[in-house]
Amino acid sequence: MATNDYESGLKMLEELTTDAQQIQDQLLGEILSKNAETEYLQGFLHGQTDKQLFKKNVPIVTYEHLKPYIDRIANGEASSDILLVEPLIGFSLRHFGDINQAGKRMELMFAKPDVETPSGLKASAVSTRAFKGSSFKAILPKLYTSPFETIFCPDTKQSMYCQILFGLIQRDEVVMIGSIFASTVVRSIKFLENNWKELCSNIKTGQISEWITDSGCRNAASLMLKPNLELADLIEDVCSCKSWEGIIRKLWPKTKYIGTVCTGAMLQYTAELEFYCGGLPLVSGFYACSEGAVGINLEPLCKPSDVSYTFIPNTVYYEFLSIKEDCVTDSQNQVQLNAMSHHEDTGPVDLVNVKLGQCYEVLVTSSTGLYRYRVGDIIKVTGFHNNTPQFQFVGRQNVALGVDMERTSEADILKAVAEAKALLDPLGLILTEYTSYGDTSSTPGHYVIFWEIKPKEGNNNNKNGKELDPKVMEQCCSKMEDSLHFTYRMYRKENMIAALEIRVVKQGTFESLMDYFVTKGASLSQYKTPICIKSKEALNILDSRVIAKFFSPRTPIQDN
Ligand code: AMP
């Protein structure tokens, strides 16, 4: 960014965060007066636009509440008077972050084909929509290593192969490496681990592999790929070393940082990323969601576990539902959400009225037809920038697991896994991915946690289930149980829940899981491994790759 742009950006941020209340009220006023005549708002406000009336009459809703309205629009009923006055031109499936930064970035981006609704409206990932924008296309060759065609290649394997190839051949220009979410960066490095020999051979010959059949990718290669023996040898040297610790720095020596979301569910990837990136900072630049809520990280160099985001007051109208005593702080100062987060009886508060230290669920009212909509994210207020709150992302509101009457949130699982995986460290092992499942096929039911583990040193393939120390693995099971919430531990003691099980899966299993979800329509750019598995097919993928099973040998500690 040029100095002037940077300075005017900072100035704008100062103004926005100082006048937050006024900007929020103005934004709400605009949204309501524009859409007062819609069927949805008419039903609650009868044409009025008063803020107090809005707060009194318009209900707080989830996606399920809005679904009938959205379905009617998708099915072709004139959209202009249902949720929005302006005609709806498409749906957002997902989000794309700000790309407006200087330097040549090796950013892995995957466009997802649009889906057409019965009425012919396009439903597209927000990221894909951003990739299609003319301004993005214009800056792409100058600022990014991935040619346009590789981002839009419908075959994600070919797309990833080519994006890594072009990143390698432009290695001297790369100053930043990233993707929207950390899971994609980790996946790319693993992909490189499996394919570097072939990539080097392509660079040596200047010919792209035959299996790259996508014409866009082949065209891009014919323009950019030239035989380069020296570069191929250099990459081969780096990649054939025994440990891949610090590989990113070695391959792309001018990289200044890894730009990717590492907070929330992505925290689980930071250990592996840190291993690969050899001391480069991991920068979680923003928090954003398809519904329009946006926060930016004003201290990009702080550790992922300490990141706070500052809300941007002019994007959507925010309200916050206070959460009762369910947010706790663990030893590493990480906020965790307990099993069931109840809302306080008080109504939602405005952006500038949130309290320091308090946890809230985020509601948005946007110019895209969402009114008092529950995004499902829980945040904790950690400070203020001028009058605008800063927050730590705590987790998703939804409940992940339950095999009896107990409810265990994503954040509970995250915390339990974080504590248990520390036991692998002395053995030179890293937990690379995990997910969970509530197994009720026998009574009582029990929690199953799928773990993919790899050694810190050496290549991917030298650990199988037999080499894992059963004692340590059982300790991991118990540690997880000890870290779970009171109700879980009590139910375990009463034998209403059976012993927690860790199923270790073959390396590459979570890649197969991701492939499965991508074939089912998930956007690869925005893919997040589900913390809990609900689908039978996904479960089969995991179960068919299990190499060892371990159970907790004792009931959990009751008094922490
Ligand atoms: P999407 O549905 O793809 O728009 O993803 C948006 C969701 O991703 C948000 O509602 C959050 O749950 C999660 N998310 C986005 N940014 C962050 C972040 N910086 N830290 C943690 N979670 C995030």
Side-chain angles (χ1 to χ4, degrees):
M1 206 186 281
T3 316
N4 277 350
D5 290 350
Y6 179 72
E7 278 168 6
S8 63
L10 277 185
K11 189 165 167 264
M12 189 166 91
L13 188 74
E14 289 305 300
E15 285 166 8
L16 287 175
T17 52
T18 303
D19 302 333
Q21 173 79 64
Q22 190 198 332
I23 289 167
Q24 283 276 283
D25 285 347
Q26 202 177 323
L27 188 63
L28 179 66
E30 280 165 19
I31 296 170
L32 294 184
S33 37
K34 225 184 222 171
N35 299 297
E37 301 304 324
T38 56
E39 176 187 323
Y40 187 79
L41 283 185
Q42 265 288 348
F44 305 113
L45 297 179
H46 313 291
Q48 303 204 48
T49 60
D50 176 65
K51 177 175 169 181
Q52 295 319 319
L53 206 64
F54 165 79
K55 294 221 168 202
K56 192 165 154 241
N57 290 1
V58 178
I60 292 166
V61 292
T62 61
Y63 180 74
E64 290 311 310
H65 290 99
L66 290 186
K67 191 170 181 296
Y69 296 92
I70 294 173
D71 284 349
R72 279 168 55 199
I73 299 171
N75 287 326
E77 219 177 292
S79 62
S80 54
D81 57 354
I82 298 178
L83 284 168
L84 272 175
V85 162
E86 279 168 5
L88 204 65
I89 51 167
F91 290 99
S92 286
L93 298 177
R94 301 266 148 181
H95 161 80
F96 181 75
D98 184 11
I99 51 142
N100 223 1
Q101 277 193 35
K104 198 148 192 173
R105 303 154 154 229
M106 181 181 154
E107 198 156 336
L108 283 301
M109 298 171 275
F110 303 90
K112 188 172 142 19
D114 293 339
V115 179
E116 202 154 286
T117 71
S119 63
L121 287 172
K122 281 202 173 118
S124 45
V126 178
S127 49
T128 300
R129 208 145 353 114
F131 300 149
K132 279 185 180 164
S134 55
S135 54
F136 178 71
K137 204 170 170 181
I139 58 167
L140 192 69
K142 196 166 152 243
L143 297 184
Y144 294 82
T145 56
S146 294
F148 190 74
E149 298 83 349
T150 60
I151 300 170
F152 278 85
C153 170
D155 178 332
T156 49
K157 193 172 170 204
Q158 294 190 40
S159 171
M160 184 170 291
Y161 185 91
C162 294
Q163 293 196 55
I164 295 175
L165 177 67
F166 291 116
L168 284 171
I169 62 180
Q170 298 171 80
R171 69 188 282 270
D172 283 335
E173 290 172 76
V174 173
V175 290
M176 176 271 196
I177 291 180
S179 197
I180 297 180
F181 290 112
S183 50
T184 316
V185 182
V186 169
R187 189 183 195 201
S188 314
I189 300 299
K190 284 184 185 162
F191 188 92
L192 178 62
E193 233 170 327
N194 294 329
N195 294 283
W196 60 267
K197 286 188 181 144
E198 185 177 341
L199 286 158
C200 286
S201 135
N202 287 185
I203 296 171
K204 206 171 279 179
T205 58
Q207 297 292 322
I208 196 149
S209 300
E210 288 298 316
W211 67 272
I212 303 293
T213 49
D214 180 80
S215 57
C217 288
R218 292 201 76 84
N219 283 345
S222 69
L223 292 174
M224 291 173 68
L225 187 61
K226 306 272 177 294
N228 190 338
L229 196 66
E230 200 184 328
L231 178 64
D233 284 348
L234 192 150
I235 296 170
E236 230 166 54
D237 265 4
V238 174
C239 291
S240 53
C241 66
K242 193 163 162 262
S243 168
W244 268 44
E245 186 163 8
I247 195 80
I248 295 183
R249 223 180 191 154
K250 291 180 196 159
L251 286 175
W252 292 278
K254 291 185 185 155
T255 308
K256 293 189 172 23
Y257 68 99
I258 310 292
T260 189
V261 167
C262 290
T263 46
M266 295 297 141
L267 257 183
Q268 60 169 303
Y269 299 100
T270 51
E272 206 177 0
L273 258 187
E274 275 162 1
F275 174 78
Y276 286 132
C277 72
L280 288 169
L282 303 180
V283 175
S284 276
F286 62 88
Y287 155 91
C289 60
S290 307
E291 293 84 358
V294 179
I296 57 169
N297 174 3
L298 298 180
E299 286 180 50
L301 292 182
C302 83
K303 282 202 313 221
S305 52
D306 297 338
V307 168
S308 280
Y309 301 97
T310 305
F311 278 112
I312 300 298
N314 66 345
T315 52
V316 291
Y317 178 71
Y318 297 98
E319 289 173 279
F320 298 87
L321 280 173
S322 177
I323 304 280
K324 252 186 205 166
E325 294 176 17
D326 273 301
C327 290
V328 294
T329 301
D330 77 5
S331 50
Q332 282 123 36
N333 198 29
Q334 263 308 110
V335 195
Q336 303 290 350
L337 193 67
N338 283 344
M340 272 188 287
S341 49
H342 305 284
H343 296 125
E344 297 277 9
D345 299 332
T346 52
V349 295
D350 277 354
L351 183 70
V352 297
N353 294 332
V354 296
K355 289 201 191 91
L356 189 66
Q358 176 67 44
C359 288
Y360 295 93
E361 181 178 354
V362 183
L363 306 179
V364 301
T365 294
S366 72
S367 53
T368 55
L370 301 175
Y371 307 100
R372 313 195 91 191
Y373 179 84
R374 292 171 66 170
V375 172
D377 289 345
I378 308 290
I379 54 114
K380 181 183 182 179
V381 179
T382 51
F384 287 84
H385 184 76
N386 297 319
N387 296 313
T388 303
Q390 298 182 299
F391 65 92
Q392 231 175 49
F393 182 88
V394 176
R396 298 283 299 171
Q397 163 73 344
N398 59 340
V399 166
L401 274 181
V403 291
D404 197 290
M405 297 288 282
E406 94 296 352
R407 290 291 174 263
T408 297
S409 70
E410 284 187 9
D412 282 327
I413 299 165
L414 229 94
K415 173 173 167 257
V417 171
E419 302 221 346
K421 75 175 183 186
L423 300 176
L424 296 177
D425 207 44
L427 306 181
L429 298 172
I430 308 179
L431 174 69
T432 55
E433 295 245 29
Y434 69 89
T435 187
S436 64
Y437 171 67
D439 187 343
T440 50
S441 59
S442 53
T443 315
H446 73 291
Y447 287 15
V448 175
I449 318 293
F450 291 94
W451 276 20
E452 188 172 318
I453 298 174
K454 70 174 255 189
K456 280 187 198 162
E457 294 290 329
N459 65 31
N460 263 344
N461 309 314
N462 61 359
K463 269 281 164 202
N464 63 40
K466 288 191 199 97
E467 289 165 310
L468 293 165
D469 181 343
K471 272 226 168 79
V472 175
M473 292 308 296
E474 285 176 2
Q475 277 170 15
C476 289
C477 296
S478 294
K479 187 79 186 168
M480 286 195 69
E481 292 202 303
D482 291 343
S483 317
L484 285 170
H485 52 90
F486 173 78
T487 317
Y488 176 87
R489 286 177 286 126
M490 193 180 71
Y491 279 23
R492 270 283 283 132
K493 189 172 149 217
E494 305 295 329
N495 202 27
M496 291 157 73
I497 299 181
L500 181 144
E501 177 184 2
I502 291 180
R503 292 185 193 161
V504 181
V505 292
K506 275 194 275 195
Q507 280 166 35
T509 298
F510 278 81
E511 264 187 78
S512 309
L513 189 71
M514 185 195 247
D515 290 340
Y516 164 76
F517 282 114
V518 168
T519 61
K520 289 279 163 194
S523 146
L524 183 55
S525 273
Q526 288 152 262
Y527 176 78
K528 312 159 195 87
T529 301
I531 299 227
C532 180
I533 293 290
K534 313 270 186 207
S535 108
K536 245 199 155 122
E537 290 100 321
L539 188 64
N540 286 340
I541 292 172
L542 295 165
D543 266 337
S544 63
R545 290 163 173 83
V546 170
I547 49 175
K549 297 179 176 186
F550 305 93
F551 290 88
S552 170
R554 59 165 172 82
T555 48
I557 298 166
Q558 296 295 309
D559 58 354
N560 66 347

